[in-house]
Amino acid sequence: IASVKHEYHYYGEEKHWKATLDISGNVDTATHYEEKEKDFVLEYKGDYSDISDATVSYAYTASGETEGGTLNPPGTKYIEDSSESNDGNMRKKDELIEVVVKWNGQEENISMKLIND
């Protein structure tokens, strides 16, 4: 059984937020079954005080799997979510990943694109 290791780095930026998603994993070339680690980071581009009392919710869909959460920023303008899984579909390199961020009655859509190959 052949296995291919890969690391994908996605990035997107809009007026208020920057988003990065790093995915590394091994793909079984016969089944396209993937083991992966994901690190998702949102960064607020303004002053932390603007979001210190806010509830921030986010969601993104990558390869048909939706991830997301709702939280109060933990004393920093970075919101991080990491996960490991032993299942899932193989990532498409040219995939466009859409992130929706909501805070303080505002909403922003960020498109993340692959920045490495």
Side-chain angles (χ1 to χ4, degrees):
I1 296 174
S3 179
V4 177
K5 182 157 180 55
H6 64 79
E7 290 193 18
Y8 293 159
H9 305 287
Y10 295 90
Y11 176 79
E13 181 174 348
E14 287 298 330
K15 184 178 176 186
H16 297 98
W17 296 90
K18 294 179 188 178
T20 56
L21 176 64
D22 292 332
I23 301 172
S24 60
N26 292 298
V27 177
D28 182 318
T29 54
T31 63
H32 300 294
Y33 183 81
E34 181 176 46
E35 294 181 46
K36 59 187 173 286
E37 291 181 22
K38 289 189 286 196
D39 290 304
F40 177 75
V41 179
L42 272 176
E43 178 187 350
Y44 185 66
K45 293 166 67 174
D47 292 327
Y48 172 70
S49 59
D50 295 345
I51 61 167
S52 61
D53 294 329
T55 298
V56 178
S57 66
Y58 66 92
Y60 64 92
T61 301
S63 297
E65 300 170 356
T66 299
E67 306 269 346
T70 300
L71 56 118
N72 299 94
T76 170
K77 54 188 192 172
Y78 295 93
I79 293 172
E80 298 183 60
D81 179 22
S82 299
S83 65
E84 288 186 35
S85 66
N86 292 327
D87 60 355
N89 297 319
M90 192 164 78
R91 293 286 177 258
K92 298 176 190 71
K93 283 178 66 170
D94 57 356
E95 181 174 16
L96 192 65
I97 298 174
E98 299 290 343
V99 184
V100 178
V101 186
K102 297 179 183 178
W103 77 104
N104 286 344
Q106 299 183 71
E107 181 173 319
E108 191 162 85
N109 296 315
I110 306 166
S111 296
M112 287 193 294
K113 294 181 178 153
L114 189 72
I115 57 170
N116 70 317
D117 56 15

